[in-house]
Amino acid sequence: PGLVIHPKTIIGERVHLYQGVTIGKKNLWAPSSEEGGCEVKNGAILCPGCKVLFGRNKLIIGEGTIIGANAVLFSSTGDNEIWAGVPAKKIGERKDK
């Protein structure tokens, strides 16, 4: 399993992307002028199999945030948060940061 990273993605430093991660758009048929893109801030961790799907607005994954295995994220996160589930919801905050 590989990675799928949309061209309108900005990835910060020290980001961990594990196998099977997808960063792409929600609506595959929307014109590229209607794509917001994704920014993954420094130190974020995208666990195996998670999907990050953006729409018209830029989706931002906050600094140090963890997206759990097989989660499906549709919205931006804050810094040092933990998100999991389908659809992904905030389930906690990192205490080690």
Side-chain angles (χ1 to χ4, degrees):
L3 300 174
V4 176
I5 308 292
H6 189 277
K8 284 192 175 179
T9 302
I10 300 167
I11 299 175
E13 298 177 9
R14 302 175 318 282
V15 170
H16 296 271
L17 300 172
Y18 289 93
Q19 69 272 16
V21 168
T22 296
I23 301 175
K25 59 184 185 175
K26 285 191 268 189
N27 183 352
L28 298 177
W29 298 274
S32 24
S33 61
E34 295 180 9
E35 296 173 353
C38 180
E39 182 175 355
V40 184
K41 301 255 182 158
N42 297 341
I45 301 170
L46 279 64
C47 293
C50 76
K51 310 298 181 233
V52 177
L53 303 175
F54 58 83
R56 289 178 175 240
N57 299 320
K58 180 185 261 188
L59 187 151
I60 298 172
I61 297 175
E63 190 166 328
T65 289
I66 298 172
I67 309 301
N70 298 313
V72 180
L73 182 72
F74 294 114
S75 60
S76 293
T77 74
D79 293 342
N80 299 309
E81 295 179 345
I82 302 168
W83 286 65
V86 179
K89 294 181 172 83
K90 180 181 171 188
I91 61 167
E93 294 187 14
R94 293 182 70 176
K95 305 294 185 206
D96 61 332
K97 289 284 176 185

